mmCIF file of all heavy atoms in Angstrom:
data_model
loop_
_atom_site.group_PDB
_atom_site.id
_atom_site.type_symbol
_atom_site.label_atom_id
_atom_site.label_comp_id
_atom_site.label_asym_id
_atom_site.label_seq_id
_atom_site.Cartn_x
_atom_site.Cartn_y
_atom_site.Cartn_z
ATOM 1 N N LEU N 155 -301.445 31.743 -2.147
ATOM 2 C CA LEU N 155 -300.940 30.953 -3.390
ATOM 3 C C LEU N 155 -300.280 29.808 -2.969
ATOM 4 O O LEU N 155 -299.697 29.560 -1.802
ATOM 5 C CB LEU N 155 -299.872 31.891 -3.891
ATOM 6 C CG LEU N 155 -300.378 33.233 -4.470
ATOM 7 C CD1 LEU N 155 -299.240 34.109 -5.106
ATOM 8 C CD2 LEU N 155 -301.492 32.960 -5.684
ATOM 9 N N PRO N 156 -300.279 28.755 -3.857
ATOM 10 C CA PRO N 156 -299.358 27.458 -3.713
ATOM 11 C C PRO N 156 -297.883 27.979 -3.385
ATOM 12 O O PRO N 156 -297.338 28.791 -4.061
ATOM 13 C CB PRO N 156 -299.377 26.894 -5.000
ATOM 14 C CG PRO N 156 -300.659 27.322 -5.751
ATOM 15 C CD PRO N 156 -300.738 28.913 -5.230
ATOM 16 N N LEU N 157 -297.350 27.195 -2.398
ATOM 17 C CA LEU N 157 -295.964 27.341 -2.089
ATOM 18 C C LEU N 157 -295.163 26.166 -2.662
ATOM 19 O O LEU N 157 -295.393 24.980 -2.227
ATOM 20 C CB LEU N 157 -295.749 27.298 -0.531
ATOM 21 C CG LEU N 157 -296.469 28.515 0.173
ATOM 22 C CD1 LEU N 157 -296.140 28.397 1.678
ATOM 23 C CD2 LEU N 157 -296.015 29.824 -0.474
ATOM 24 N N ASP N 158 -294.297 26.610 -3.725
ATOM 25 C CA ASP N 158 -293.553 25.533 -4.472
ATOM 26 C C ASP N 158 -292.229 25.515 -3.889
ATOM 27 O O ASP N 158 -291.369 26.415 -4.086
ATOM 28 C CB ASP N 158 -293.561 26.031 -5.809
ATOM 29 C CG ASP N 158 -292.808 25.360 -6.843
ATOM 30 O OD1 ASP N 158 -292.650 24.139 -6.793
ATOM 31 O OD2 ASP N 158 -292.035 26.012 -7.731
ATOM 32 N N CYS N 159 -291.879 24.460 -3.193
ATOM 33 C CA CYS N 159 -290.586 24.367 -2.494
ATOM 34 C C CYS N 159 -289.593 23.567 -3.252
ATOM 35 O O CYS N 159 -289.829 22.332 -3.426
ATOM 36 C CB CYS N 159 -290.768 23.820 -1.023
ATOM 37 S SG CYS N 159 -291.838 24.894 -0.057
ATOM 38 N N HIS N 160 -288.543 24.245 -3.714
ATOM 39 C CA HIS N 160 -287.486 23.564 -4.355
ATOM 40 C C HIS N 160 -286.425 23.140 -3.618
ATOM 41 O O HIS N 160 -285.571 24.016 -3.033
ATOM 42 C CB HIS N 160 -287.008 24.649 -5.473
ATOM 43 C CG HIS N 160 -285.889 24.207 -6.406
ATOM 44 N ND1 HIS N 160 -285.231 25.150 -7.234
ATOM 45 C CD2 HIS N 160 -285.304 22.950 -6.600
ATOM 46 C CE1 HIS N 160 -284.305 24.447 -7.814
ATOM 47 N NE2 HIS N 160 -284.323 23.160 -7.492
ATOM 48 N N LEU N 161 -286.229 21.822 -3.243
ATOM 49 C CA LEU N 161 -285.223 21.400 -2.237
ATOM 50 C C LEU N 161 -283.904 21.105 -2.948
ATOM 51 O O LEU N 161 -283.885 20.065 -3.616
ATOM 52 C CB LEU N 161 -285.803 20.144 -1.636
ATOM 53 C CG LEU N 161 -287.148 20.341 -0.825
ATOM 54 C CD1 LEU N 161 -287.372 19.098 0.156
ATOM 55 C CD2 LEU N 161 -287.369 21.556 -0.124
ATOM 56 N N MET N 162 -282.957 21.989 -2.744
ATOM 57 C CA MET N 162 -281.628 21.792 -3.298
ATOM 58 C C MET N 162 -280.851 21.137 -2.024
ATOM 59 O O MET N 162 -279.980 21.908 -1.633
ATOM 60 C CB MET N 162 -281.064 23.042 -3.908
ATOM 61 C CG MET N 162 -281.684 23.364 -5.198
ATOM 62 S SD MET N 162 -281.635 25.046 -5.635
ATOM 63 C CE MET N 162 -282.973 25.872 -4.718
ATOM 64 N N ILE N 163 -281.149 20.058 -1.664
ATOM 65 C CA ILE N 163 -280.584 19.594 -0.444
ATOM 66 C C ILE N 163 -280.332 17.897 -0.663
ATOM 67 O O ILE N 163 -281.145 17.341 -1.416
ATOM 68 C CB ILE N 163 -281.442 19.702 0.755
ATOM 69 C CG1 ILE N 163 -282.850 18.955 0.768
ATOM 70 C CG2 ILE N 163 -281.751 21.202 0.992
ATOM 71 C CD1 ILE N 163 -283.675 19.077 2.044
ATOM 72 N N THR N 164 -279.441 17.383 0.008
ATOM 73 C CA THR N 164 -279.202 15.949 0.119
ATOM 74 C C THR N 164 -280.055 15.498 1.115
ATOM 75 O O THR N 164 -280.514 16.048 1.983
ATOM 76 C CB THR N 164 -277.685 15.716 0.448
ATOM 77 O OG1 THR N 164 -277.393 16.320 1.749
ATOM 78 C CG2 THR N 164 -276.687 16.260 -0.506
ATOM 79 N N GLU N 165 -280.467 14.126 0.934
ATOM 80 C CA GLU N 165 -281.312 13.330 1.798
ATOM 81 C C GLU N 165 -282.661 14.249 2.166
ATOM 82 O O GLU N 165 -283.071 14.528 3.372
ATOM 83 C CB GLU N 165 -280.545 13.108 3.267
ATOM 84 C CG GLU N 165 -279.434 12.277 2.978
ATOM 85 C CD GLU N 165 -278.897 11.835 4.319
ATOM 86 O OE1 GLU N 165 -279.638 11.084 5.218
ATOM 87 O OE2 GLU N 165 -277.700 12.127 4.682
ATOM 88 N N PRO N 166 -283.371 14.670 1.163
ATOM 89 C CA PRO N 166 -284.632 15.341 1.319
ATOM 90 C C PRO N 166 -285.635 14.686 2.160
ATOM 91 O O PRO N 166 -286.409 15.298 2.893
ATOM 92 C CB PRO N 166 -285.065 15.780 -0.067
ATOM 93 C CG PRO N 166 -284.439 14.706 -0.952
ATOM 94 C CD PRO N 166 -283.097 14.417 -0.332
ATOM 95 N N ASP N 167 -285.508 13.278 2.113
ATOM 96 C CA ASP N 167 -286.644 12.555 2.844
ATOM 97 C C ASP N 167 -286.732 12.988 4.266
ATOM 98 O O ASP N 167 -287.701 12.837 4.855
ATOM 99 C CB ASP N 167 -286.309 10.958 2.778
ATOM 100 C CG ASP N 167 -286.150 10.497 1.305
ATOM 101 O OD1 ASP N 167 -285.598 11.291 0.433
ATOM 102 O OD2 ASP N 167 -286.538 9.374 1.072
ATOM 103 N N ARG N 168 -285.492 13.430 4.876
ATOM 104 C CA ARG N 168 -285.510 13.695 6.338
ATOM 105 C C ARG N 168 -286.435 14.881 6.719
ATOM 106 O O ARG N 168 -286.677 15.049 7.766
ATOM 107 C CB ARG N 168 -284.061 13.994 6.772
ATOM 108 C CG ARG N 168 -283.119 12.780 6.643
ATOM 109 C CD ARG N 168 -281.720 13.269 6.845
ATOM 110 N NE ARG N 168 -281.536 14.070 8.154
ATOM 111 C CZ ARG N 168 -280.438 14.699 8.336
ATOM 112 N NH1 ARG N 168 -279.419 14.734 7.464
ATOM 113 N NH2 ARG N 168 -280.251 15.379 9.600
ATOM 114 N N TYR N 169 -286.782 15.691 5.708
ATOM 115 C CA TYR N 169 -287.380 16.872 5.948
ATOM 116 C C TYR N 169 -288.838 16.942 5.284
ATOM 117 O O TYR N 169 -289.530 17.978 5.379
ATOM 118 C CB TYR N 169 -286.584 18.079 5.453
ATOM 119 C CG TYR N 169 -285.348 18.181 6.049
ATOM 120 C CD1 TYR N 169 -284.192 17.684 5.389
ATOM 121 C CD2 TYR N 169 -285.037 18.549 7.379
ATOM 122 C CE1 TYR N 169 -282.833 17.753 5.944
ATOM 123 C CE2 TYR N 169 -283.781 18.581 8.024
ATOM 124 C CZ TYR N 169 -282.691 18.144 7.221
ATOM 125 O OH TYR N 169 -281.443 18.229 7.843
ATOM 126 N N LEU N 170 -289.290 15.996 4.595
ATOM 127 C CA LEU N 170 -290.618 16.084 3.882
ATOM 128 C C LEU N 170 -291.749 16.346 4.821
ATOM 129 O O LEU N 170 -292.615 17.184 4.523
ATOM 130 C CB LEU N 170 -290.761 14.744 3.084
ATOM 131 C CG LEU N 170 -289.714 14.492 1.906
ATOM 132 C CD1 LEU N 170 -290.041 13.175 1.167
ATOM 133 C CD2 LEU N 170 -289.617 15.722 0.881
ATOM 134 N N ALA N 171 -291.706 15.708 5.935
ATOM 135 C CA ALA N 171 -292.921 15.833 6.799
ATOM 136 C C ALA N 171 -292.935 17.250 7.388
ATOM 137 O O ALA N 171 -294.046 17.779 7.591
ATOM 138 C CB ALA N 171 -292.791 14.842 7.978
ATOM 139 N N ASP N 172 -291.812 17.811 7.590
ATOM 140 C CA ASP N 172 -291.608 19.160 8.209
ATOM 141 C C ASP N 172 -292.204 20.256 7.116
ATOM 142 O O ASP N 172 -292.811 21.108 7.393
ATOM 143 C CB ASP N 172 -290.156 19.465 8.508
ATOM 144 C CG ASP N 172 -289.695 18.708 9.523
ATOM 145 O OD1 ASP N 172 -290.464 18.147 10.384
ATOM 146 O OD2 ASP N 172 -288.512 18.584 9.796
ATOM 147 N N PHE N 173 -291.903 19.942 5.880
ATOM 148 C CA PHE N 173 -292.411 20.802 4.744
ATOM 149 C C PHE N 173 -293.875 20.748 4.799
ATOM 150 O O PHE N 173 -294.588 21.707 4.485
ATOM 151 C CB PHE N 173 -291.751 20.662 3.482
ATOM 152 C CG PHE N 173 -290.442 21.385 3.435
ATOM 153 C CD1 PHE N 173 -289.212 20.481 3.667
ATOM 154 C CD2 PHE N 173 -290.221 22.635 3.110
ATOM 155 C CE1 PHE N 173 -287.993 21.218 3.434
ATOM 156 C CE2 PHE N 173 -288.972 23.337 3.110
ATOM 157 C CZ PHE N 173 -287.867 22.618 3.290
ATOM 158 N N ALA N 174 -294.409 19.484 4.732
ATOM 159 C CA ALA N 174 -295.774 19.309 4.753
ATOM 160 C C ALA N 174 -296.462 20.036 5.909
ATOM 161 O O ALA N 174 -297.496 20.764 5.785
ATOM 162 C CB ALA N 174 -296.188 17.777 4.776
ATOM 163 N N LYS N 175 -295.944 19.878 6.988
ATOM 164 C CA LYS N 175 -296.592 20.639 8.191
ATOM 165 C C LYS N 175 -296.486 21.953 8.069
ATOM 166 O O LYS N 175 -297.433 22.810 8.532
ATOM 167 C CB LYS N 175 -295.729 20.049 9.479
ATOM 168 C CG LYS N 175 -296.705 19.602 10.540
ATOM 169 C CD LYS N 175 -295.869 19.143 11.700
ATOM 170 C CE LYS N 175 -295.348 17.693 11.684
ATOM 171 N NZ LYS N 175 -294.109 17.402 12.513
ATOM 172 N N ALA N 176 -295.508 22.466 7.531
ATOM 173 C CA ALA N 176 -295.369 24.074 7.389
ATOM 174 C C ALA N 176 -296.227 24.588 6.340
ATOM 175 O O ALA N 176 -296.435 25.835 6.309
ATOM 176 C CB ALA N 176 -293.916 24.321 6.881
ATOM 177 N N GLY N 177 -296.750 23.841 5.419
ATOM 178 C CA GLY N 177 -297.815 24.129 4.441
ATOM 179 C C GLY N 177 -297.389 24.276 3.039
ATOM 180 O O GLY N 177 -298.012 25.015 2.230
ATOM 181 N N ALA N 178 -296.341 23.490 2.797
ATOM 182 C CA ALA N 178 -295.790 23.497 1.362
ATOM 183 C C ALA N 178 -296.991 22.844 0.561
ATOM 184 O O ALA N 178 -297.533 21.791 0.910
ATOM 185 C CB ALA N 178 -294.506 22.709 1.280
ATOM 186 N N SER N 179 -297.181 23.264 -0.735
ATOM 187 C CA SER N 179 -298.069 22.666 -1.595
ATOM 188 C C SER N 179 -297.423 21.636 -2.654
ATOM 189 O O SER N 179 -297.881 20.535 -2.922
ATOM 190 C CB SER N 179 -298.965 23.604 -2.352
ATOM 191 O OG SER N 179 -298.157 24.663 -2.718
ATOM 192 N N HIS N 180 -296.299 22.181 -3.069
ATOM 193 C CA HIS N 180 -295.550 21.397 -4.025
ATOM 194 C C HIS N 180 -294.090 21.131 -3.322
ATOM 195 O O HIS N 180 -293.457 22.175 -2.915
ATOM 196 C CB HIS N 180 -295.254 22.068 -5.279
ATOM 197 C CG HIS N 180 -296.442 22.407 -6.091
ATOM 198 N ND1 HIS N 180 -297.453 23.264 -5.701
ATOM 199 C CD2 HIS N 180 -296.900 21.883 -7.315
ATOM 200 C CE1 HIS N 180 -298.440 23.240 -6.443
ATOM 201 N NE2 HIS N 180 -298.084 22.548 -7.564
ATOM 202 N N VAL N 181 -293.466 19.956 -3.466
ATOM 203 C CA VAL N 181 -292.032 19.818 -3.029
ATOM 204 C C VAL N 181 -291.448 19.038 -4.227
ATOM 205 O O VAL N 181 -291.785 18.093 -4.672
ATOM 206 C CB VAL N 181 -292.052 18.921 -1.703
ATOM 207 C CG1 VAL N 181 -290.640 18.279 -1.683
ATOM 208 C CG2 VAL N 181 -292.345 19.855 -0.539
#
Side-chain angles (χ1 to χ4, degrees):
L155 295 180
L157 298 180
D158 172 39
C159 297
H160 177 192
L161 307 194
M162 288 160 275
I163 66 177
T164 56
E165 298 186 62
D167 304 37
R168 291 171 58 195
Y169 303 99
L170 299 177
D172 293 338
F173 280 100
K175 237 181 274 158
S179 46
H180 298 64
V181 162

